[in-house]
């Protein structure tokens, strides 16, 4: 009996992933707000009613795509933040963003488009993920000597600058394509160095 349940669960998960993959491919040419669930189920080869066994609607599917794209990055970014030296952390962070764009361009394009798109639930899900990144960056910075005397508000502001820069850099890698990766990488590293330098002098006064 348990073997049969296991097979059913595996098949259900397979269908769910197929729906996510098909939606992501269709979203290369359109926004989520214009995507119809029948388009998705047709691409997978299942009945429209099967969609509702996995998602309430296309907005719910979009939220799942946000989690698939960003949810798994927290551990990886946490490892980058634990680099003891600014230069190594900057290089590793930019390399992480470049690698994500290289291996998952459709996911990155989806986040870039839907961050300010027409589906409120997806905008909120992206915002929540980026807020989590900001909290993690702020927590990492709080324990460093350079942050002595910083207010919690200023640490969150600095973390937000870093996270916004990561999103901007991902978009730049997408637009540049493989041939322009080196130039975008060099520019992103220089910009983060500038932010890092400003951080060291933030409390110097006007």
């Amino acid at each position: 009996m348990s073997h049969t349940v296991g097979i059913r669960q595996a098949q259900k998960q397979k269908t769910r992933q197929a729906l996510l993959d098909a939606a992501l491919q269709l979203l290369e040419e359109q926004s989520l707000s214009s995507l119809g669930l029948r388009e998705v189920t047709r691409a997978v080869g299942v009945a429209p009613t099967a969609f509702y066994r996995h998602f309430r609607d296309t907005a719910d599917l979009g939220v799942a795509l946000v989690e698939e794209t960003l949810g798994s990055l927290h551990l990886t970014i946490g490892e980058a933040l634990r680099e003891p030296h600014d230069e190594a952390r900057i290089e590793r962070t930019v390399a992480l963003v470049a690698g994500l764009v290289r291996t998952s361009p459709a996911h990155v394009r989806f986040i870039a488009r839907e961050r300010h798109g027409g589906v409120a639930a997806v905008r909120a899900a992206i915002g929540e993920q980026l807020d989590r990144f900001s909290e993690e960056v702020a927590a990492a910075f709080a324990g460093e000597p350079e942050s002595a005397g910083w207010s919690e508000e200023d640490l969150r502001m600095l973390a937000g600058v870093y996270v916004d820069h990561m999103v901007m850099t991902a978009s730049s890698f997408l637009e540049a394509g493989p041939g322009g990766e080196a130039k975008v990488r060099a520019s992103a590293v220089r910009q983060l160095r500038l932010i890092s330098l400003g951080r060291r002098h933030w409390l110097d006064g006007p």
Side-chain angles (χ1 to χ4, degrees), residues 90 189-199:
I90 287 170
V189 166
R190 283 171 59 83
Q191 289 164 355
L192 283 176
R193 284 175 182 161
L194 182 61
I195 294 170
S196 180
L197 180 63
R199 176 191 177 194

Side-chain angles (χ1 to χ4, degrees), residues 16-205:
R16 184 179 190 275
Q17 189 60 52
L19 290 167
L20 288 169
D21 292 345
L24 193 62
Q25 186 172 359
L26 290 165
L27 288 169
E28 289 276 6
E29 305 296 333
Q30 61 184 305
S31 66
L32 183 63
S33 60
S34 66
L35 182 69
L37 69 87
R38 288 181 179 276
E39 287 181 83
V40 180
T41 54
R42 190 182 306 119
V44 176
V46 297
T49 53
F51 182 93
Y52 295 106
R53 298 192 192 111
H54 306 277
F55 307 105
R56 293 187 298 274
D57 48 31
T58 53
D60 191 35
L61 180 147
V63 171
L65 281 174
V66 172
E67 175 62 30
E68 182 175 81
T69 305
L70 299 177
S72 61
L73 290 179
H74 292 280
L75 180 62
T76 309
I77 288 178
E79 292 172 356
L81 289 170
R82 284 192 288 275
E83 287 283 358
H85 303 295
D86 245 7
E87 188 66 26
R89 178 163 52 202
I90 287 170
E91 293 282 354
R92 187 166 177 181
T93 300
V94 174
L96 169 65
V97 176
L100 178 65
V101 173
R102 200 181 306 119
T103 58
S104 305
H107 286 85
V108 176
R109 193 172 291 110
F110 166 74
I111 296 296
R113 180 189 293 130
E114 299 299 332
R115 186 184 183 190
H116 304 293
V119 182
V122 174
R123 289 199 311 272
I126 294 172
E128 288 168 9
Q129 288 287 346
L130 296 182
D131 284 346
R132 274 186 62 195
F133 287 127
S134 291
E135 290 169 5
E136 291 158 4
V137 172
F141 285 167
E144 297 179 348
E146 294 90 341
S147 299
W150 279 59
S151 68
E152 184 176 333
E153 181 183 358
D154 283 354
L155 278 172
R156 282 300 304 269
M157 177 181 68
L158 176 65
V161 169
Y162 270 82
V163 172
D164 284 344
H165 185 273
M166 289 170 60
V167 174
M168 179 189 72
T169 300
S171 295
S172 296
F173 276 126
L174 267 179
E175 292 173 11
E181 183 178 308
K183 185 177 180 180
V184 172
R185 183 191 292 256
S187 177
V189 166
R190 283 171 59 83
Q191 289 164 355
L192 283 176
R193 284 175 182 161
L194 182 61
I195 294 170
S196 180
L197 180 63
R199 176 191 177 194
R200 296 188 195 114
H201 297 281
W202 177 247
L203 298 179
D204 290 355

